[in-house]
Amino acid sequence: MSGFSVSWLDLREPADHAARDPALAASLVSYLQADTAISPIIVDLGSGTGSTLRALTRKGAQRCVWRLVDHDPALLNEALRRHGQTEIIEDYQADLREVAALPLGGLTLLSASALFDLVSDELVDALLARVSQQSAAFYAALNYDGRTQWTPAHPLDEAVLAAFNHDQRRDKGLGPALGPDSAPYLKAALEKLDFTVHTADSAWQLGPAQEALQADLITGIRLAVADAPDLTEAALDDWQAFRMAHAGSGQCVVGHIDVLAFPAGA
Ligand SMILES: C[S@@+](CC[C@H](N)C(=O)[O-])C[C@H]1O[C@@H](n2cnc3c(N)ncnc32)[C@H](O)[C@@H]1O
């Protein structure tokens, strides 16, 4: 998988944090803090620089042991630099595909953000099998759901979105990606394992204040659909120029779904 830079993760984080469903996050924090005698162990997969740690500690998660798992040592080092003095962090450089080797022992919660749309159904099943053996909770925020709606509209928006969503299912290093199906797949798989599952909308609401993120998104979509058979280069140039011209004044909604699940009896 191509790398995720600190600067790209920083660019998207304010939109991510504004989008996370507050009720699901509050319910999770209450669950984690219910027993003041224990330190919840949270394993955050594909942690990047610690976005989930920041989101949940701001909502009141305390006394947690944060096991941050990522294959990119630069991102883990940045997480340690930002939070190593104030939080208990155990950093693990590991490949998520090696499920049996992931440090899931004794965990209270398996979390992730902006990850599961990149992951295959097979990998989800293997991860959930390990989580369910331990009666741990599960929280996956910000799973892309296939919606990208622009204002003002351009005649090619629909065709570009169809090509983009097709590309979202490409194997990006974690198996054939679930893409927009990730949240419904997670929900069904968790329910099969007797979890109580809650889902909520966590769409990005991007306006002129998020011009840089809109511009980055437009460039990323253009790259992703460059080889789509029914879109000519000239048509895509026109679409990209129109979208860029409106990035500082228009709106964009990018659909995501948060998934929170508690084990049976919790
Ligand atoms: C879209 S980023 C999300 C980062 C972070 N959760 C956030 O919300 O800012 C995906 C993360 O998954 C990590 N990742 C991708 N493939 C991985 C793999 N095979 N093993 C471990 N981590 C991986 C990337 O390094 C990156 O940090």
Side-chain angles (χ1 to χ4, degrees), residues 111-125:
S111 68
S113 55
L115 181 76
F116 276 100
D117 42 44
L118 302 169
V119 170
S120 71
D121 51 1
E122 214 174 291
L123 188 44
V124 167
D125 291 348

Side-chain angles (χ1 to χ4, degrees), residues 100-197:
L102 293 176
L104 304 186
L107 86 168
T108 314
L109 168 72
L110 186 72
S111 68
S113 55
L115 181 76
F116 276 100
D117 42 44
L118 302 169
V119 170
S120 71
D121 51 1
E122 214 174 291
L123 188 44
V124 167
D125 291 348
L127 284 167
L128 294 186
R130 284 206 65 195
V131 179
S132 67
Q133 279 161 15
Q134 302 187 61
S135 275
F138 177 88
Y139 174 56
L142 297 154
N143 305 291
Y144 176 62
D145 72 0
R147 287 178 295 148
T148 302
Q149 290 152 359
W150 301 96
T151 310
H154 181 279
L156 269 194
D157 284 343
E158 218 172 290
V160 169
L161 179 59
F164 180 64
N165 285 345
H166 179 75
D167 181 76
Q168 287 291 297
R169 298 172 202 278
R170 191 169 48 78
D171 185 339
K172 305 193 182 69
L174 292 165
L178 282 162
D181 294 331
S182 57
Y185 188 86
L186 284 168
K187 182 173 187 295
L190 286 156
E191 283 174 345
K192 232 185 267 174
L193 292 166
D194 286 336
F195 283 80
T196 304
V197 185

Side-chain angles (χ1 to χ4, degrees), residues 3-184:
F4 294 90
S5 66
V6 171
S7 58
W8 183 76
L9 294 175
D10 282 349
L11 178 63
R12 62 172 291 160
E13 182 156 309
D16 281 344
H17 281 200
R20 280 175 188 259
D21 181 75
L24 289 198
S27 159
L28 174 58
V29 169
S30 301
Y31 174 82
L32 292 172
Q33 304 304 139
D35 185 347
T36 52
I38 63 152
S39 294
I41 297 176
I42 302 175
V43 179
D44 190 46
L45 298 180
S47 64
T49 65
S51 189
T52 294
L53 179 157
R54 286 184 283 283
L56 294 185
T57 51
R58 272 179 209 151
K59 299 266 182 202
Q62 296 170 0
R63 306 181 318 277
C64 299
V65 176
W66 287 92
R67 273 186 208 154
L68 303 184
V69 181
D70 207 289
H71 64 170
D72 186 335
L75 299 181
L76 289 170
N77 283 339
E78 183 61 17
L80 281 171
R81 192 187 68 75
R82 294 185 189 185
H83 304 293
Q85 304 296 316
T86 51
E87 301 293 330
I88 302 169
I89 295 183
E90 299 173 354
D91 58 308
Y92 285 85
Q93 190 187 346
D95 187 333
L96 301 183
R97 291 170 300 179
E98 307 295 329
V99 174
L102 293 176
L104 304 186
L107 86 168
T108 314
L109 168 72
L110 186 72
S111 68
S113 55
L115 181 76
F116 276 100
D117 42 44
L118 302 169
V119 170
S120 71
D121 51 1
E122 214 174 291
L123 188 44
V124 167
D125 291 348
L127 284 167
L128 294 186
R130 284 206 65 195
V131 179
S132 67
Q133 279 161 15
Q134 302 187 61
S135 275
F138 177 88
Y139 174 56
L142 297 154
N143 305 291
Y144 176 62
D145 72 0
R147 287 178 295 148
T148 302
Q149 290 152 359
W150 301 96
T151 310
H154 181 279
L156 269 194
D157 284 343
E158 218 172 290
V160 169
L161 179 59
F164 180 64
N165 285 345
H166 179 75
D167 181 76
Q168 287 291 297
R169 298 172 202 278
R170 191 169 48 78
D171 185 339
K172 305 193 182 69
L174 292 165
L178 282 162
D181 294 331
S182 57

